[in-house]
Amino acid sequence: EDQVTQSPEALRLQEGESSSLNCSYTVSGLRGLFWYRQDPGKGPEFLFTLYSAGEEKEKERLKATLTKKESFLHITAPKPEDSATYLCAVLKGAGGTSYGKLTFGQGTILTVHP
Amino acid sequence: EAQVTQNPRYLITVTGKKLTVTCSQNMNHEYMSWYRQDPGLGLRQIYYSMNVEVTDKGDVPEGYKVSRKEKRNFPLILESPSPNQTSLYFCASRWGAKDTQYFGPGTRLTVL
């Protein structure tokens, strides 16, 4: 069974305190891994897509990396406005009824204190 | 402006009263999906569509129906809502299977 597990469930940081969020997955035929940010009561907002092991993407204070079993979202010198829930999702391989199906993790709630 | 819109944004209804939540995108995307989000359970896919007249079940399709008669619209139908369908619902769209997915603002549904 496909599984996507994010850890920790919640993370509290002081402003400027760098850390990492983890997304581990067991999916046959991974075709892509997505990171999203979600603010309370709003729809998820796209951050990154990673397609193959070894790939890295950066955007401001965020950097996403991918291995064959997991992905990390590194947050460097976070600010209070980075507080949100961060979601990862994996896209299965083509074929059958699984094509196009995204499986989400449960998310990491990040709180950055000033 | 490229966007996914959902209506209504908030809905309170009673058990058994049929309802439809509309979803529309203006980006000419092939793929559209419906998700529900519940505390502790995360985002779970209900149905998705790869093109007009092509739909498939996600992880939690029971109690829901969808249709894709036009490329831009993907309504979610609850024929006989029950309290366990109280949730936050999101519609989403993307061009291809591997492309960035854009989410709508959400519909908060309460079934009494």
Side-chain angles (χ1 to χ4, degrees), chain B residues 71-96:
Chain B
K71 197 172 188 178
R72 63 183 291 127
N73 296 322
F74 191 44
L76 179 69
I77 303 158
L78 284 72
E79 295 269 1
S80 183
S82 62
N84 64 12
Q85 292 178 298
T86 293
S87 187
L88 180 59
Y89 290 86
F90 289 103
C91 180
S93 75
R94 62 192 196 270
W95 174 247

Side-chain angles (χ1 to χ4, degrees), chain A residues 31 34 36 38 41-46 49 51 87 91 96-106, chain B residues 9 31 35 37 40-43 45 48 50 56 58-59 90 94 97-101 103-105 108:
Chain A
R31 297 196 69 204
F34 302 81
Y36 288 86
Q38 185 176 25
K42 295 190 175 182
E45 177 186 337
F46 170 78
T49 308
Y51 293 110
L87 301 167
L91 178 69
T97 58
S98 297
Y99 191 72
K101 182 175 177 294
L102 275 176
T103 302
F104 279 82
Q106 294 194 14
Chain B
R9 295 288 314 281
Y31 282 76
Y35 297 86
Q37 188 171 39
L41 296 176
L43 266 170
Q45 194 173 38
Y48 64 97
M50 292 168 277
D56 210 343
D59 293 314
F90 289 103
R94 62 192 196 270
K98 295 176 69 174
D99 293 312
T100 301
Q101 181 160 251
F103 283 82
R108 188 166 291 281

